[in-house]
Amino acid sequence: MSDTPDSVVRTYIDTHRAAFLGDLADWLRIPSVSAQPAHAADVRRSAEWLSAKLQETGFPVTEIWPTAGAPAVFAEWPSGDPAAPTVLVYGHHDVQPAARADGWHTDPFEPEIVDGRLYARGAADDKGQVFFHTLGVRAHLAATGRTAPAVNLKLLVEGEEESGSPHFRALVEEHAERLTADAVIVSDTGMWSEDTPTVCTGMRGLADCEIELYGPDQDIHSGSFGGAVPNPATVAARLVAALHDEDERITVPGFYDGVVELTDRERELFAELPFDEAQWLRTAKSRATLGEAGHTTLERVWARPTAEVNGIGGGYQGPGGKTVVPSSAHLKLSFRLVAGQDPDKIERSVRDWIATRVPVGIRHEITFGAATRPCLTPLDHPALQSVVRAMGRAFGQKIRFTREGGSGPAADLQDVLGAPVLFLGISVPSDGWHAPDEKVELDLLLKGVETTAYLWGDLAAHWRAS
Amino acid sequence: MSDTPDSVVRTYIDTHRAAFLGDLADWLRIPSVSAQPAHAADVRRSAEWLSAKLQETGFPVTEIWPTAGAPAVFAEWPSGDPAAPTVLVYGHHDVQPAARADGWHTDPFEPEIVDGRLYARGAADDKGQVFFHTLGVRAHLAATGRTAPAVNLKLLVEGEEESGSPHFRALVEEHAERLTADAVIVSDTGMWSEDTPTVCTGMRGLADCEIELYGPDQDIHSGSFGGAVPNPATVAARLVAALHDEDERITVPGFYDGVVELTDRERELFAELPFDEAQWLRTAKSRATLGEAGHTTLERVWARPTAEVNGIGGGYQGPGGKTVVPSSAHLKLSFRLVAGQDPDKIERSVRDWIATRVPVGIRHEITFGAATRPCLTPLDHPALQSVVRAMGRAFGQKIRFTREGGSGPAADLQDVLGAPVLFLGISVPSDGWHAPDEKVELDLLLKGVETTAYLWGDLAAHWRAS
């Protein structure tokens, strides 16, 4: 079903394409690097620029929300229809650091279009993907003759995502009432490839911890005492080794409790993707795959929980040898979680498991960081169906499904607002997120515009507010 | 049997005690710290001082032997008896660094006698224990009326022991012919305690290695790739964990091949020592014992081979967490070896074992350091019996047996010269080697003098040159 004439949308986008790209270039010129204090004023300027642009776009409400760090931008455009669903779009206006000296072929903050690609820091991550919503909603209005979008449209564009979103949860909690939504649409992700448009249906969660293991009060002589007292580095290693069984399954009791297993249909859909293991290994800069038995690589990184050693250390670190039993050792572990796993329960299970495995004579301390919950939207969710239809119209292709192996602040929106999270991104793996020569493919960027031009009407037609 | 009247020896020592201690104090004033380049001249001065003193003692041959580092002192006093055995005494004239600010109650290089203890850096380790041989050989001559010792007496006093004896092996090889001996007596060790005089019969050997494990070309994102590629930190941990079985026995195939097991008699002798586990744990600054099943703590540190992690590292080491699969990890392992184990064979076994355990996709490099062989003199060796008798006369007590868990350059003498190594030391655990307030007990120091005064005659009487 199609409530918006596609040709009208395409004509509208064509007509406004130049102005849209010119505006985006203006925004990309602002080096809103949240991780670098010297750019704090630029991050504020970026928020002000976006707020003004959203007002110009037609959002009747635009606000700059301060945080303990960099400010976020909020905008709201009510539908006027009491039965219309409310959609909250999430993105971020801060960017990764970038300097010509890192290997850029152009100035990272002077956008250039070459061969249909717009090169600039933030072109894909995430200014380009936030920005397609501005032209998208205008095209939606133009094609439908409406004066307000078919859904209640809210935007929350944070300014600290590249710094780990340290104040995002507090921001969402503070403004929870204003942010209420029936669905969250995250535009800070990607698709499988230029040729294979996809929609992402879930994101793994994350629990991480640091474990300190204390043995002798100081490093002691391994000739005098070695082999007769517990060595904390050995204990650390034994913990790591015991984390997985021979099938690379995690051995912590209860770890898999509640895990939402992949359905046969989902496994089929993953398997339909044109996955090239050699290419994937090149991207992973690795030489072999290794993971949980009975699962493919995509299943392992998208839909299975993991336990990973991010750091290990203890004892002598200098050149050559030193015959000591180390006084202490440490581990940094992280657990990727999937739907059905509760980070609090995982923390308790890991704590209990470690406590039973640390031998007498070794003292241990465990510190867990703030956890991120997993997100998963069922394939038959009406909002997801709308996203798939809208993308299908824009791309003229079958839309396939992916998931995201990483973890992100969108989970805070899910938790606080109690709304499902959908992912609408048009970036592709070659876009160079966090790397030199970041770019966005203009064709795909405009497909993003077109997708949102169809999406709001489709959503309103197929899904009423709860 | 006693060829030297004990009373004559004691009177001689009493008469010369003051001059002996005055001379030792002069030597201790020279800060011969081999690890500190600023003291290089002091180390040379220490060698010259000792060489002159040995000449004054009566050694017809005294030489300073240069090395690529600090010089050693060699002295030789032939017996004149063609059938006399040849004994080479080993010690060192360099000392550990020391500064008042480290917590010394006196100037570490201004010897002071307080309550029968001589405080100074090097008092026990090792100048005091080298120096008792000077008065000892004079007392031997005085009591026997000889003009030359009953054995061919050689001294080799190196200047780099506290720096790891980097040139000692080359020195011994260079002068192997001059150093030829029927037995080596090392005076750089200790006894069980003031109340329990002991002789050490063996020393463990050492093989150590560094293992580098390489995974992804750079740290990669644990959300995107974790759980699907091998993690070199996990591999490092699994190697460490697999090194021991549940009985804390080393699992490397062939590791225990040839190990000279303790006899029932040796285990009984160890068990006779007044071992106080709580006190030992305080010395080890540890809270529990842990080691190879079926062995006591003393057996574990003296007579059993071990595998110890001296250092482990990989991945993120900064504050907080970082969700990476590390690019590399490293291990520093050391193996203490006992009689019957061949370091070259151990190296091959460890290399083979690691090669079979590193998974596809991880590249590894192993570097072994220079190994030290174990030493062990059988309890019934005639030279050991002489040492026990001489000590027994000096101490008026039963002499018990210990071993040394550490490893030292004496093994080079054993290897190059093909001579058994005996350990004659009078230091006690409270002497504070490498620590502030190092001291030697004057009573024990003079027992050392007395022991050597009896030893040369006893050796010559009971053991003829081979």
Side-chain angles (χ1 to χ4, degrees), chain A residues 217 228 287 310 318 320 324 332, chain B residues 217 228 287 290 310 318 320 324 332:
Chain A
D217 290 338
R287 274 154 207 84
N310 308 124
V324 294
K332 291 174 191 280
Chain B
D217 290 337
R287 274 153 207 85
L290 183 70
N310 308 123
V324 294
K332 291 174 192 279

Side-chain angles (χ1 to χ4, degrees), chain A residues 56-81:
Chain A
E56 192 186 312
T57 300
F59 281 82
V61 176
T62 64
E63 297 175 17
I64 292 177
W65 285 354
T67 73
V73 175
F74 174 73
E76 187 173 5
W77 198 337
S79 159
D81 173 359

